[in-house]
Amino acid sequence: MPDPAYETALGSSTKDKITLLGQDLAEDVMGSVGFGELAFWLATQRRPAKGETRVFEAVLAALADHGFTPTAIVTRLTYLSAPDSVQGALAAGLLGGGSRFLGVTEDCGRFLHGVLAGAELPTDEAGWDALALATVENRRAEKKFVPGLGHHVHKDGDPRTRRLFAIAEEEGLRGPHLELFAAIGRVHPRVLGKTLPLNGAGVCGAALADLGLPLELLRGFALLARTAGLIGQLAEELRHPVANDIFLSVDLNNRPVPPDPES
């Protein structure tokens, strides 16, 4: 019986050579290909154009760190508890990437793609607004939120959003997902009766979808970006530790109460 063959276009090694994506890793990749470009290349198995790399790396920068979010706090606290396990601390933070933090990138990209898949693409702003209006009205009727709409801090506009739109525009990569997202930003007050900002995580999802990256992996790119941020959180924790203060602020201020069994 012949040995099984496990095909891959990614990394493989021989005694004196390592290949990656058909390139000689040592000679063709190291020192020549940036990490963001390589991450895109690995996910799509095609080398991105310069403009695509710029948009992709702008997304990574936008999602790297947002301060003392739950992902950052749990990373610091896990490191306090297990300083011998950097991987555990990083994993703890990444496991917190979900529907409220980081996961919005994937949720928004998938949502926009689902709308576009069943629609004829508009050719002007009025057409995009009409599609967006119907989309928001449908979500309202279903009593569901529009992913990427609203932010708990940047209530008057997320600075990452306008910048990423500008970068995509400069690179000729403002595609249908970004167009629909922008139109949602214009028309949603007519339906909701209030104005909400298009948040950075949502615009990142739209931009990644316009780059043709796999929808199933959009959260993975957010986690890739956040990994760098969490390493930064740990590096700062080593220099200026706060995790123990966070722990003690809870431990020393807990208040015992009688049991409250469920009825």
Side-chain angles (χ1 to χ4, degrees):
M1 182 177 179
D3 292 333
Y6 301 101
E7 296 181 350
T8 177
L10 302 179
S12 62
S13 302
T14 62
K15 181 180 178 181
D16 56 2
K17 186 176 182 180
I18 303 172
T19 59
L20 181 63
L21 296 160
Q23 309 294 309
D24 185 302
L25 176 63
E27 299 299 325
D28 302 327
V29 179
M30 295 172 61
S32 300
V33 180
F35 183 70
E37 180 182 1
L38 181 60
F40 187 109
W41 198 349
L42 286 166
T44 62
Q45 297 198 9
R46 69 172 181 85
R47 190 165 188 173
K50 185 177 180 180
E52 291 176 313
T53 299
R54 184 178 179 225
V55 172
F56 182 66
E57 291 186 343
V59 168
L60 297 182
L63 298 174
D65 183 79
H66 297 164
F68 284 117
T69 59
T71 59
I73 293 170
V74 74
T75 289
R76 290 193 185 225
L77 289 174
T78 303
Y79 186 76
L80 172 68
S81 181
D84 52 315
S85 180
V86 171
Q87 71 273 23
L90 292 173
L94 294 177
L95 288 172
S99 58
R100 292 187 178 178
F101 291 89
L102 293 177
V104 176
T105 296
E106 179 178 319
D107 296 342
C108 187
R110 282 178 173 269
F111 169 71
L112 296 171
H113 192 79
V115 173
L116 294 170
E120 182 176 345
L121 294 187
T123 57
D124 56 23
E125 186 173 292
W128 283 111
D129 285 358
L131 177 59
L133 186 62
T135 299
V136 177
E137 288 174 339
N138 289 339
R139 294 295 282 189
R140 182 67 178 268
E142 296 171 352
K143 297 182 178 180
K144 294 179 180 179
F145 294 108
V146 176
L149 193 58
H151 196 283
H152 68 289
V153 175
H154 306 299
K155 297 185 182 299
D156 296 322
D158 191 321
R160 298 168 298 170
T161 299
R162 59 176 175 268
R163 180 58 177 152
L164 193 49
F165 268 113
I167 292 171
E169 185 78 38
E170 290 166 8
E171 300 299 339
L173 293 169
R174 179 165 166 159
H177 298 86
L178 283 169
E179 288 291 357
L180 177 57
F181 197 50
I184 287 172
R186 292 192 296 268
V187 307
H188 75 270
R190 301 186 213 170
V191 181
L192 304 184
K194 58 183 176 181
T195 301
L196 298 172
L198 298 175
N199 63 52
V203 75
C204 285
L208 292 175
D210 273 344
L211 289 175
L213 291 160
L215 296 176
E216 300 84 355
L217 298 181
L218 296 190
R219 188 174 302 186
F221 299 116
L223 295 173
L224 172 66
R226 186 51 55 91
T227 299
L230 295 180
I231 290 173
Q233 290 284 336
L234 289 177
E236 186 174 77
E237 181 68 19
L238 290 172
R239 297 190 302 272
H240 305 290
V242 299
N244 195 56
D245 292 337
I246 295 172
F247 157 59
L248 290 177
S249 71
V250 176
D251 187 54
L252 298 179
N253 292 286
N254 71 77
R255 180 171 61 87
V257 296
D260 183 21
E262 294 183 3
S263 57

